[in-house]
Amino acid sequence: MLTYNMDVTPESVWKRTTPSEAELAQPYYCTEAGVFYAQQHFSTARTDKESYILFYTLRGAGLIEQDGNHVILSTGQALLLNCRTPQSYCTAPGQSCWHHYWVHLDGVGVAAMEPLLFPGKKLTPVQITGAKMQELFETILGQMERGNVDSMVQTGLTLHGMLALCAQTILAEAETTSARQVILQAAEILRKNYQKELSLADLLADAHMSKSYFLRLFRRYMGTTPYNYLVNFRITQAKELLVLTDHSVTEIAQQVGFGDASNFSTRFAKATGQSPLQYRKSALKPLDFTREAGGFMSK
């Protein structure tokens, strides 16, 4: 169900498109976009819509509410909202206007970035400095008029750029927080001590936080679990040893902290798609080049 009051000025823009099968298969695509010069009584409320919406305020402020959370979106701030849960947004109380860009977007790429853009599962306004976000929105509006493969690719890249800009800003703002520093220090411990036997208890000793909270933060900031982070780092070190030394697989397994050659080979193959010996052979295989038409072509 949708209710709204379109209190916007005539120069407002609202564009719609119907994505093709090729577009729906992309990580990022959009269905609607616009710029609303909303006035004091502008409002929208809906129960659900199969998309996300990204706002960016040009002037004034908007009030966005969802799941008991409400935020004021002030000038220069962006916010991503998942429309699959009931929500409402309007010109903020006490404001005479809410001039804002918006785009309905979706795709697996958007869903994958949701944890970064909803830290703590809360609506999170992002302050974007400069004109970059406005330029990206104008690109989206321009590409919607073309409707070809080139515009599909450009739109996807632009949407990714918008979300990446928001995510990078959120992470940068959290850079100085104690929680982020704890996770960065834990990752440093893993890198420095990757040859040793390490446990989660070793990382939690100086963290002063619960196991579940630590694991949630580690995944948020490092993109994986502490164990997988350690395994991947060990495999990276093993790659160098396989290429730069003639040590046996068993010796390398012990040097990088796996200890057991069988476990090392299994982990290595899962991560790289090759056994350690296959990786060594392919990495050391000389390139065969032939000269053709004044250049080089790989045979």
Side-chain angles (χ1 to χ4, degrees):
M1 186 177 73
L2 171 68
T3 59
Y4 58 88
N5 181 8
M6 288 297 291
D7 183 18
V8 299
T9 60
E11 64 266 34
S12 298
V13 176
W14 184 350
K15 295 186 178 182
R16 302 171 180 83
T17 184
T18 302
S20 65
E21 291 183 3
E23 288 175 296
L24 293 175
Q26 300 303 307
Y28 308 91
Y29 63 88
C30 73
T31 55
E32 301 174 64
V35 53
F36 281 175
Y37 297 96
Q39 302 304 293
Q40 185 174 5
H41 301 294
F42 169 83
S43 66
T44 297
R46 66 166 61 87
T47 54
D48 64 274
K49 185 179 178 69
E50 286 297 311
S51 74
Y52 295 81
I53 187 170
L54 179 67
F55 297 105
Y56 179 67
T57 299
L58 291 169
R59 183 184 175 202
L63 171 65
I64 293 93
E65 297 182 285
Q66 186 179 55
D67 294 334
N69 299 315
H70 65 276
V71 298
I72 299 296
L73 199 66
S74 302
T75 301
Q77 289 186 324
L79 180 137
L80 182 70
L81 187 70
N82 190 336
C83 297
R84 292 168 176 83
T85 302
Q87 79 272 183
S88 65
Y89 43 90
C90 63
T91 301
Q95 295 287 325
S96 61
C97 68
W98 180 31
H99 298 173
H100 62 281
Y101 283 101
W102 58 273
V103 58
H104 276 290
L105 67 162
D106 210 359
V108 294
V110 191
M113 294 188 71
E114 185 173 345
L116 288 174
L117 298 171
F118 293 102
K121 296 185 178 181
K122 292 184 178 180
L123 298 178
T124 305
V126 185
Q127 189 71 45
I128 307 293
T129 58
K132 182 62 176 178
M133 186 62 80
Q134 186 173 351
E135 293 172 1
L136 292 171
F137 269 104
E138 286 296 331
T139 297
I140 291 294
L141 292 174
Q143 294 298 330
M144 290 181 74
E145 297 177 348
R146 298 176 60 193
N148 54 34
V149 173
D150 289 343
S151 66
M152 175 188 74
V153 173
Q154 185 61 53
T155 295
L157 291 172
T158 304
L159 291 171
H160 176 260
M162 289 174 161
L163 298 183
L165 182 59
C166 292
Q168 289 166 352
T169 302
I170 290 174
L171 291 175
E173 290 174 352
E175 184 72 38
T176 58
T177 65
S178 58
R180 181 173 172 82
Q181 289 304 313
V182 166
I183 299 305
L184 294 178
Q185 290 170 8
E188 181 68 12
I189 290 173
L190 291 173
R191 292 193 298 271
K192 287 184 175 180
N193 300 277
Y194 72 93
Q195 297 171 309
K196 303 176 182 178
E197 289 189 13
L198 294 170
S199 68
L200 185 58
D202 296 326
L203 302 180
L204 289 171
D206 297 321
H208 305 296
M209 60 181 63
S210 69
K211 174 182 175 181
S212 60
Y213 184 53
F214 175 85
L215 291 174
R216 187 163 67 249
L217 286 178
F218 197 98
R219 181 177 288 277
R220 175 186 170 190
Y221 291 122
M222 306 308 297
T224 187
T225 65
Y227 178 73
N228 286 335
Y229 184 86
L230 175 61
V231 168
N232 289 340
F233 189 79
R234 285 173 170 172
I235 288 173
T236 300
Q237 305 312 304
K239 287 179 178 179
E240 292 191 8
L241 293 174
L242 285 166
V243 175
L244 300 177
T245 75
D246 59 358
H247 297 168
S248 69
V249 171
T250 299
E251 290 173 326
I252 291 175
Q254 293 173 345
Q255 288 180 52
V256 300
F258 281 101
D260 180 80
S262 176
N263 179 43
F264 165 60
S265 296
T266 299
R267 296 285 181 182
F268 192 95
K270 183 178 181 181
T272 68
Q274 297 177 300
S275 70
L277 291 179
Q278 288 172 332
Y279 180 84
R280 169 177 275 170
K281 183 178 180 180
S282 64
L284 296 177
K285 182 179 180 181
L287 294 175
D288 186 9
F289 291 103
T290 59
R291 184 178 298 273
E292 180 173 312
F296 288 94
M297 294 186 63
S298 178
K299 292 180 68 176

